[in-house]
Amino acid sequence: MMKRRIVSIDETKCNGCGLCIPACHEGAIQLIDGKARLLEDKLCDGIGDCLGECPLGAIKIIEREADAFDEEAVAAHLQELSRKKEMEIVNKHNIPCGCPGALMKHFADMDDEVDNHEQGEIKSTLKQWPVQLSLVPVKAPYFENAELLLSADCVAFAYGNYQQLQKGRAVAVGCPKLDNGNMYVKKLAEIIKENDLKKIVIARMEVPCCGGLQSIVKEALNLSGKNVPVETKIISIQGKMLQN
């Protein structure tokens, strides 16, 4: 214990808005029972980045006896917070009140269904839900012995023949520019490791940032320890297949 500067939160003023939480780079402040609270003294560096974020002035810096700031403990804490956040996203498909697209469905007999579509309407070839890479279950039945189409989300809008591209394949969709690439790598590595994939087909746009999908697949294969054939299809911004 030592006397040092440290955060103090007045719970009588705190309304639980949570604005202080992202301002704390150490993750030392979290909402507990509707109030912002300092989790452990050793996680607070006493600098006070969170001060200006409280609209009610419930946070201030004081001097008192406290455990010394511990950078190693902060690193471990941030890693655990990151892991929990990833798991919340991955397991969201199990939440009944979540998005319908997050509920796992496998249309195994879809091709045998009677086609009630109107004349001229293109029939969907999708055989699963969800499709977002962050939401798909690692051990979904549609991954086993399947070709996996890892598609940039823009491809479905640009490429007119997308229904044929996804036909007969398991689908995972993502954006390497807007989403968390590291999370994608870990998730894809788990899918590759836990299932016997025949092939991974990358469908990406011609723009440079979309090339991140290829890097994600390469890193995921290295993490998984498996060797799965990879094929890349590149779509132009006008919707033409440039590489097949």
Side-chain angles (χ1 to χ4, degrees):
M1 297 284 285
M2 57 185 294
K3 192 170 185 178
R4 68 179 183 92
R5 290 166 55 85
I6 195 167
V7 161
S8 175
I9 303 173
D10 186 344
E11 293 186 11
T12 63
K13 293 182 179 179
C14 176
N15 66 355
C17 71
L19 293 176
C20 56
I21 294 175
C24 178
H25 304 302
E26 291 75 32
I29 299 176
Q30 296 293 317
L31 283 181
I32 299 175
D33 297 330
K35 298 287 186 178
R37 293 194 173 124
L38 179 63
L39 296 180
E40 293 185 79
D41 290 354
K42 64 182 179 181
L43 301 178
C44 177
D45 59 10
I47 294 176
D49 287 340
C50 53
L51 290 181
E53 300 299 329
C54 181
L56 300 177
I59 303 176
K60 61 182 179 180
I61 298 294
I62 64 171
E63 281 198 8
R64 65 170 173 83
E65 291 289 327
D67 292 331
F69 176 60
D70 188 336
E71 291 187 6
E72 290 185 2
V74 169
H77 174 61
L78 290 176
Q79 186 175 14
E80 178 63 15
L81 287 179
S82 177
R83 185 192 69 80
K84 287 181 178 179
K85 185 175 181 180
E86 288 179 8
M87 290 306 298
E88 286 175 2
I89 296 173
V90 169
N91 293 326
K92 190 176 179 181
H93 63 276
N94 290 324
I95 301 175
C97 61
C99 168
L103 300 175
M104 206 284 286
K105 297 181 179 68
H106 184 201
F107 311 120
D109 301 319
M110 190 173 185
D111 292 335
D112 298 328
E113 292 178 359
V114 177
D115 188 356
N116 293 320
H117 287 58
E118 297 178 4
Q119 188 176 3
E121 184 177 352
I122 298 174
K123 183 178 178 180
S124 174
T125 59
L126 184 66
K127 301 185 71 170
Q128 70 182 72
W129 282 109
V131 295
Q132 169 55 246
L133 180 55
S134 62
L135 296 178
V136 292
V138 170
K139 285 290 290 181
Y142 44 76
F143 285 140
E144 194 61 27
N145 295 314
E147 289 189 6
L148 171 62
L149 175 64
L150 181 62
S151 174
D153 45 17
C154 293
V155 172
F157 295 94
Y159 186 49
N161 208 25
Y162 189 80
Q163 289 297 325
Q164 288 302 309
L165 181 61
Q166 75 177 5
K167 186 176 182 180
R169 292 175 170 139
V171 178
V173 179
C175 177
K177 181 177 181 179
L178 300 179
D179 297 332
N180 187 328
N182 290 330
M183 185 186 71
Y184 277 174
V185 169
K186 294 176 184 178
K187 185 65 176 292
L188 185 58
E190 290 179 23
I191 291 172
I192 296 170
K193 185 177 180 180
E194 296 296 329
N195 302 278
D196 291 324
L197 296 177
K198 293 179 180 178
K199 182 196 292 187
I200 298 174
V201 179
I202 302 170
R204 50 158 293 198
M205 300 298 294
E206 64 176 325
V207 294
C209 60
C210 217
L213 280 183
Q214 291 167 273
S215 299
I216 287 168
V217 170
K218 183 177 180 180
E219 291 181 46
L221 283 169
N222 288 336
L223 276 178
S224 72
K226 283 190 173 182
N227 185 17
V228 179
V230 178
E231 178 184 333
T232 301
K233 298 180 182 292
I234 300 178
I235 310 299
S236 75
I237 56 175
Q238 289 83 23
K240 295 182 179 180
M241 181 76 75
L242 300 179
Q243 180 176 320
N244 190 355

